[in-house]
Amino acid sequence: MNLASSSGKSYVFGIYVRRELRTLSDSDRDAFFDAAEIVFRVPTTEGQALYGSKYYSAGYYGAKHNVLSGNTNCDHMHDGLGFVTSHSALTLMFEQTLQAINPRVTVPYWDYTIDITAYELSGELSSFFDSEIFGEDYFGSAVTTIPEDDIDDDTYAEGIVDPSGRILTGRFTKVEMSLDYWGITSNVYNAYGHIRSPWNNNNDPYVNRFNTTYGFWAVGSGGDDRRRRLHADTPSSRSDHRQLEGSSVEFGSVDCGTVYTAMQYATWYDFGKKIEYQPHGPVHTLIGGVYGADYNTALSSRANVDSKFVEAWALLAFGLFKDMWRSGKVECPTSCSDDTPITECKCYCPNLDRWTANSTYANDYLRRIDPQIFGNAEFTTDLDGNDISIIILNVLCNAYDELNPVIGESLQSS
């Protein structure tokens, strides 16, 4: 756009348009990924020497988000009206970094409802992970867990699935998570010195993606039986966890319907409060996830539980655990050597013995953790009518040897 001023001088203005990633031309998409790859490889000091003061590394942005979201007093990035504005501000900064590298570049967006719809229409979870978004020319592999029904599917050929959670293909393999690599000093990090939540003692030095969360999939509202809807085959008198009010439990499907519903809110308060949950949050569990702690197996091996009701709170447990850490109910090691196994560097509940002295105490403490979930007896009793509050607390507190959770990058505070 060329505008003339009163002084006779002409000014040229460039207008940037953010588009869905797959609608970009090949040259525009390559330009974006070329610039982004630099940001994910080159530390801030080196980058600013090359590209100027608006350059900041991916490590900087991760650490900034981690400090704000992983603070002990509150989460400054989520669970409130600041979610949209704070993430928009970081996105703008990131875009300015890209433009310092290449002024022609802007930040595209990912319309994940396209990929969720592909899954819902086909009934095969592989349809989601087969998206070009996770191809070598885009963001690289995201499949780390094989759906049981797809074990023989050629889509998951040997060498493509890796339970370590590392990205195996494309530009973003072995993206570093160490503060030392990025030359960053921060007061929020995990016990291994990585740009991760203090409650996420994942010792892998590289970016991780996991597809399941505590043993469950979190995907769209349709599709096949792997999407175990809470109310699908239970009496109507039972509660649907996705209908409970409140940030910690307002979670479920992410599809066109939930996005449409969010866009019908008439006030900023309602939109700002709701947008980060059902229309957005479940994607984080699907490509961030939690590995090393299968809650369904842990509970079903100790009680006669209905997996649907385990899923109802297990998919929310990453948030419950964060809140338990923030309120002092959970403590985590603050320093572990690189060769210390995760089994010896996991978070725990120092008062667990007191909480689990008997079922009454245990049930009371679960209610304190989340009264809307655990105030419902259907979540704290098994199919035989036995109270399982003690078992649930042991699960939440990683007390059983088989529970050694590590959280993928997209589901933690950096």
Side-chain angles (χ1 to χ4, degrees), residues 123-144:
E124 295 296 330
L125 194 54
S126 58
S127 298
F128 180 86
F129 294 113
D130 284 344
S131 169
E132 59 265 51
I133 291 293
F134 305 117
E136 289 190 21
D137 294 333
Y138 286 71
F139 291 105
S141 61
V143 176
T144 58

PDB file of all heavy atoms in Angstrom, residues 123-144:
ATOM      1  N   GLY A 123     -13.339 -42.739  11.553  1.00  0.00           N
ATOM      2  CA  GLY A 123     -13.354 -43.635  12.707  1.00  0.00           C
ATOM      3  C   GLY A 123     -12.009 -44.219  13.032  1.00  0.00           C
ATOM      4  O   GLY A 123     -11.891 -45.074  13.896  1.00  0.00           O
ATOM      5  N   GLU A 124     -10.965 -43.767  12.351  1.00  0.00           N
ATOM      6  CA  GLU A 124      -9.610 -44.270  12.576  1.00  0.00           C
ATOM      7  C   GLU A 124      -8.716 -43.142  13.076  1.00  0.00           C
ATOM      8  O   GLU A 124      -8.567 -42.115  12.426  1.00  0.00           O
ATOM      9  CB  GLU A 124      -9.026 -44.847  11.286  1.00  0.00           C
ATOM     10  CG  GLU A 124      -9.754 -46.078  10.780  1.00  0.00           C
ATOM     11  CD  GLU A 124      -9.643 -47.249  11.744  1.00  0.00           C
ATOM     12  OE1 GLU A 124      -8.615 -47.328  12.454  1.00  0.00           O
ATOM     13  OE2 GLU A 124     -10.568 -48.067  11.793  1.00  0.00           O
ATOM     14  N   LEU A 125      -8.121 -43.368  14.240  1.00  0.00           N
ATOM     15  CA  LEU A 125      -7.265 -42.341  14.825  1.00  0.00           C
ATOM     16  C   LEU A 125      -6.066 -42.031  13.938  1.00  0.00           C
ATOM     17  O   LEU A 125      -5.524 -40.929  13.963  1.00  0.00           O
ATOM     18  CB  LEU A 125      -6.796 -42.786  16.205  1.00  0.00           C
ATOM     19  CG  LEU A 125      -6.167 -41.717  17.100  1.00  0.00           C
ATOM     20  CD1 LEU A 125      -7.080 -40.520  17.243  1.00  0.00           C
ATOM     21  CD2 LEU A 125      -5.831 -42.295  18.455  1.00  0.00           C
ATOM     22  N   SER A 126      -5.661 -43.004  13.120  1.00  0.00           N
ATOM     23  CA  SER A 126      -4.531 -42.779  12.224  1.00  0.00           C
ATOM     24  C   SER A 126      -4.812 -41.620  11.263  1.00  0.00           C
ATOM     25  O   SER A 126      -3.873 -40.976  10.779  1.00  0.00           O
ATOM     26  CB  SER A 126      -4.209 -44.044  11.433  1.00  0.00           C
ATOM     27  OG  SER A 126      -5.332 -44.475  10.685  1.00  0.00           O
ATOM     28  N   SER A 127      -6.091 -41.340  11.001  1.00  0.00           N
ATOM     29  CA  SER A 127      -6.437 -40.239  10.098  1.00  0.00           C
ATOM     30  C   SER A 127      -5.944 -38.904  10.636  1.00  0.00           C
ATOM     31  O   SER A 127      -5.564 -38.019   9.875  1.00  0.00           O
ATOM     32  CB  SER A 127      -7.960 -40.178   9.882  1.00  0.00           C
ATOM     33  OG  SER A 127      -8.424 -41.349   9.268  1.00  0.00           O
ATOM     34  N   PHE A 128      -5.974 -38.753  11.950  1.00  0.00           N
ATOM     35  CA  PHE A 128      -5.465 -37.520  12.556  1.00  0.00           C
ATOM     36  C   PHE A 128      -3.954 -37.419  12.404  1.00  0.00           C
ATOM     37  O   PHE A 128      -3.418 -36.411  11.947  1.00  0.00           O
ATOM     38  CB  PHE A 128      -5.851 -37.470  14.035  1.00  0.00           C
ATOM     39  CG  PHE A 128      -5.361 -36.235  14.746  1.00  0.00           C
ATOM     40  CD1 PHE A 128      -6.107 -35.072  14.734  1.00  0.00           C
ATOM     41  CD2 PHE A 128      -4.153 -36.239  15.426  1.00  0.00           C
ATOM     42  CE1 PHE A 128      -5.650 -33.925  15.382  1.00  0.00           C
ATOM     43  CE2 PHE A 128      -3.688 -35.115  16.077  1.00  0.00           C
ATOM     44  CZ  PHE A 128      -4.441 -33.945  16.057  1.00  0.00           C
ATOM     45  N   PHE A 129      -3.254 -38.501  12.733  1.00  0.00           N
ATOM     46  CA  PHE A 129      -1.791 -38.456  12.709  1.00  0.00           C
ATOM     47  C   PHE A 129      -1.212 -38.566  11.299  1.00  0.00           C
ATOM     48  O   PHE A 129      -0.032 -38.292  11.096  1.00  0.00           O
ATOM     49  CB  PHE A 129      -1.222 -39.550  13.610  1.00  0.00           C
ATOM     50  CG  PHE A 129      -1.523 -39.330  15.060  1.00  0.00           C
ATOM     51  CD1 PHE A 129      -2.363 -40.177  15.744  1.00  0.00           C
ATOM     52  CD2 PHE A 129      -0.985 -38.241  15.737  1.00  0.00           C
ATOM     53  CE1 PHE A 129      -2.656 -39.974  17.081  1.00  0.00           C
ATOM     54  CE2 PHE A 129      -1.264 -38.016  17.068  1.00  0.00           C
ATOM     55  CZ  PHE A 129      -2.110 -38.876  17.744  1.00  0.00           C
ATOM     56  N   ASP A 130      -2.043 -38.962  10.349  1.00  0.00           N
ATOM     57  CA  ASP A 130      -1.595 -38.987   8.961  1.00  0.00           C
ATOM     58  C   ASP A 130      -1.648 -37.606   8.312  1.00  0.00           C
ATOM     59  O   ASP A 130      -1.236 -37.446   7.167  1.00  0.00           O
ATOM     60  CB  ASP A 130      -2.468 -39.944   8.137  1.00  0.00           C
ATOM     61  CG  ASP A 130      -2.129 -41.399   8.396  1.00  0.00           C
ATOM     62  OD1 ASP A 130      -1.047 -41.658   8.959  1.00  0.00           O
ATOM     63  OD2 ASP A 130      -2.944 -42.273   8.053  1.00  0.00           O
ATOM     64  N   SER A 131      -2.125 -36.625   9.038  1.00  0.00           N
ATOM     65  CA  SER A 131      -2.203 -35.266   8.513  1.00  0.00           C
ATOM     66  C   SER A 131      -0.832 -34.769   8.062  1.00  0.00           C
ATOM     67  O   SER A 131       0.193 -35.091   8.671  1.00  0.00           O
ATOM     68  CB  SER A 131      -2.748 -34.316   9.585  1.00  0.00           C
ATOM     69  OG  SER A 131      -2.599 -32.971   9.197  1.00  0.00           O
ATOM     70  N   GLU A 132      -0.829 -33.976   6.997  1.00  0.00           N
ATOM     71  CA  GLU A 132       0.436 -33.395   6.531  1.00  0.00           C
ATOM     72  C   GLU A 132       1.078 -32.498   7.582  1.00  0.00           C
ATOM     73  O   GLU A 132       2.282 -32.215   7.529  1.00  0.00           O
ATOM     74  CB  GLU A 132       0.225 -32.603   5.234  1.00  0.00           C
ATOM     75  CG  GLU A 132      -0.764 -31.465   5.325  1.00  0.00           C
ATOM     76  CD  GLU A 132      -2.149 -31.857   4.886  1.00  0.00           C
ATOM     77  OE1 GLU A 132      -2.667 -32.880   5.377  1.00  0.00           O
ATOM     78  OE2 GLU A 132      -2.733 -31.147   4.042  1.00  0.00           O
ATOM     79  N   ILE A 133       0.288 -32.049   8.572  1.00  0.00           N
ATOM     80  CA  ILE A 133       0.827 -31.231   9.657  1.00  0.00           C
ATOM     81  C   ILE A 133       1.980 -31.944  10.358  1.00  0.00           C
ATOM     82  O   ILE A 133       2.940 -31.325  10.802  1.00  0.00           O
ATOM     83  CB  ILE A 133      -0.281 -30.892  10.677  1.00  0.00           C
ATOM     84  CG1 ILE A 133      -1.309 -29.936  10.058  1.00  0.00           C
ATOM     85  CG2 ILE A 133       0.305 -30.286  11.951  1.00  0.00           C
ATOM     86  CD1 ILE A 133      -0.779 -28.550   9.741  1.00  0.00           C
ATOM     87  N   PHE A 134       1.884 -33.289  10.422  1.00  0.00           N
ATOM     88  CA  PHE A 134       2.921 -34.067  11.102  1.00  0.00           C
ATOM     89  C   PHE A 134       3.876 -34.738  10.111  1.00  0.00           C
ATOM     90  O   PHE A 134       4.583 -35.682  10.469  1.00  0.00           O
ATOM     91  CB  PHE A 134       2.264 -35.125  11.998  1.00  0.00           C
ATOM     92  CG  PHE A 134       1.283 -34.536  12.976  1.00  0.00           C
ATOM     93  CD1 PHE A 134      -0.063 -34.867  12.911  1.00  0.00           C
ATOM     94  CD2 PHE A 134       1.692 -33.629  13.933  1.00  0.00           C
ATOM     95  CE1 PHE A 134      -0.978 -34.314  13.786  1.00  0.00           C
ATOM     96  CE2 PHE A 134       0.790 -33.071  14.816  1.00  0.00           C
ATOM     97  CZ  PHE A 134      -0.551 -33.415  14.747  1.00  0.00           C
ATOM     98  N   GLY A 135       3.915 -34.222   8.900  1.00  0.00           N
ATOM     99  CA  GLY A 135       4.837 -34.743   7.908  1.00  0.00           C
ATOM    100  C   GLY A 135       6.205 -34.098   8.007  1.00  0.00           C
ATOM    101  O   GLY A 135       6.405 -33.113   8.721  1.00  0.00           O
ATOM    102  N   GLU A 136       7.146 -34.634   7.271  1.00  0.00           N
ATOM    103  CA  GLU A 136       8.515 -34.126   7.310  1.00  0.00           C
ATOM    104  C   GLU A 136       8.610 -32.670   6.881  1.00  0.00           C
ATOM    105  O   GLU A 136       9.484 -31.933   7.348  1.00  0.00           O
ATOM    106  CB  GLU A 136       9.417 -34.983   6.417  1.00  0.00           C
ATOM    107  CG  GLU A 136       9.686 -36.371   6.951  1.00  0.00           C
ATOM    108  CD  GLU A 136      10.777 -37.089   6.167  1.00  0.00           C
ATOM    109  OE1 GLU A 136      11.577 -36.401   5.506  1.00  0.00           O
ATOM    110  OE2 GLU A 136      10.829 -38.316   6.214  1.00  0.00           O
ATOM    111  N   ASP A 137       7.725 -32.236   5.982  1.00  0.00           N
ATOM    112  CA  ASP A 137       7.790 -30.872   5.471  1.00  0.00           C
ATOM    113  C   ASP A 137       7.108 -29.864   6.393  1.00  0.00           C
ATOM    114  O   ASP A 137       7.166 -28.666   6.134  1.00  0.00           O
ATOM    115  CB  ASP A 137       7.151 -30.798   4.081  1.00  0.00           C
ATOM    116  CG  ASP A 137       7.923 -31.593   3.043  1.00  0.00           C
ATOM    117  OD1 ASP A 137       9.152 -31.754   3.224  1.00  0.00           O
ATOM    118  OD2 ASP A 137       7.305 -32.052   2.072  1.00  0.00           O
ATOM    119  N   TYR A 138       6.455 -30.370   7.443  1.00  0.00           N
ATOM    120  CA  TYR A 138       5.778 -29.482   8.381  1.00  0.00           C
ATOM    121  C   TYR A 138       6.440 -29.593   9.763  1.00  0.00           C
ATOM    122  O   TYR A 138       7.577 -29.172   9.921  1.00  0.00           O
ATOM    123  CB  TYR A 138       4.284 -29.815   8.448  1.00  0.00           C
ATOM    124  CG  TYR A 138       3.485 -29.368   7.241  1.00  0.00           C
ATOM    125  CD1 TYR A 138       3.635 -29.996   6.009  1.00  0.00           C
ATOM    126  CD2 TYR A 138       2.583 -28.312   7.331  1.00  0.00           C
ATOM    127  CE1 TYR A 138       2.891 -29.581   4.908  1.00  0.00           C
ATOM    128  CE2 TYR A 138       1.831 -27.894   6.239  1.00  0.00           C
ATOM    129  CZ  TYR A 138       1.996 -28.537   5.023  1.00  0.00           C
ATOM    130  OH  TYR A 138       1.265 -28.135   3.942  1.00  0.00           O
ATOM    131  N   PHE A 139       5.732 -30.157  10.755  1.00  0.00           N
ATOM    132  CA  PHE A 139       6.243 -30.160  12.123  1.00  0.00           C
ATOM    133  C   PHE A 139       6.861 -31.488  12.550  1.00  0.00           C
ATOM    134  O   PHE A 139       7.318 -31.613  13.688  1.00  0.00           O
ATOM    135  CB  PHE A 139       5.122 -29.792  13.101  1.00  0.00           C
ATOM    136  CG  PHE A 139       4.695 -28.355  12.983  1.00  0.00           C
ATOM    137  CD1 PHE A 139       3.510 -28.020  12.363  1.00  0.00           C
ATOM    138  CD2 PHE A 139       5.483 -27.335  13.487  1.00  0.00           C
ATOM    139  CE1 PHE A 139       3.108 -26.689  12.246  1.00  0.00           C
ATOM    140  CE2 PHE A 139       5.106 -26.008  13.386  1.00  0.00           C
ATOM    141  CZ  PHE A 139       3.903 -25.689  12.755  1.00  0.00           C
ATOM    142  N   GLY A 140       6.877 -32.468  11.677  1.00  0.00           N
ATOM    143  CA  GLY A 140       7.498 -33.733  12.031  1.00  0.00           C
ATOM    144  C   GLY A 140       6.559 -34.653  12.791  1.00  0.00           C
ATOM    145  O   GLY A 140       5.439 -34.283  13.159  1.00  0.00           O
ATOM    146  N   SER A 141       7.021 -35.857  13.058  1.00  0.00           N
ATOM    147  CA  SER A 141       6.182 -36.927  13.585  1.00  0.00           C
ATOM    148  C   SER A 141       5.580 -36.588  14.948  1.00  0.00           C
ATOM    149  O   SER A 141       6.187 -35.906  15.769  1.00  0.00           O
ATOM    150  CB  SER A 141       7.001 -38.218  13.709  1.00  0.00           C
ATOM    151  OG  SER A 141       8.080 -38.020  14.601  1.00  0.00           O
ATOM    152  N   ALA A 142       4.366 -37.094  15.149  1.00  0.00           N
ATOM    153  CA  ALA A 142       3.703 -36.924  16.444  1.00  0.00           C
ATOM    154  C   ALA A 142       3.204 -38.234  17.003  1.00  0.00           C
ATOM    155  O   ALA A 142       2.624 -38.263  18.077  1.00  0.00           O
ATOM    156  CB  ALA A 142       2.532 -35.947  16.320  1.00  0.00           C
ATOM    157  N   VAL A 143       3.394 -39.332  16.289  1.00  0.00           N
ATOM    158  CA  VAL A 143       2.883 -40.631  16.739  1.00  0.00           C
ATOM    159  C   VAL A 143       3.927 -41.302  17.620  1.00  0.00           C
ATOM    160  O   VAL A 143       5.004 -41.656  17.174  1.00  0.00           O
ATOM    161  CB  VAL A 143       2.547 -41.534  15.541  1.00  0.00           C
ATOM    162  CG1 VAL A 143       2.101 -42.907  16.029  1.00  0.00           C
ATOM    163  CG2 VAL A 143       1.459 -40.900  14.694  1.00  0.00           C
ATOM    164  N   THR A 144       3.589 -41.468  18.895  1.00  0.00           N
ATOM    165  CA  THR A 144       4.506 -42.138  19.816  1.00  0.00           C
ATOM    166  C   THR A 144       3.865 -43.352  20.455  1.00  0.00           C
ATOM    167  O   THR A 144       4.531 -44.108  21.140  1.00  0.00           O
ATOM    168  CB  THR A 144       4.956 -41.186  20.939  1.00  0.00           C
ATOM    169  OG1 THR A 144       3.791 -40.717  21.643  1.00  0.00           O
ATOM    170  CG2 THR A 144       5.696 -40.000  20.367  1.00  0.00           C
TER     171      THR A 144
END
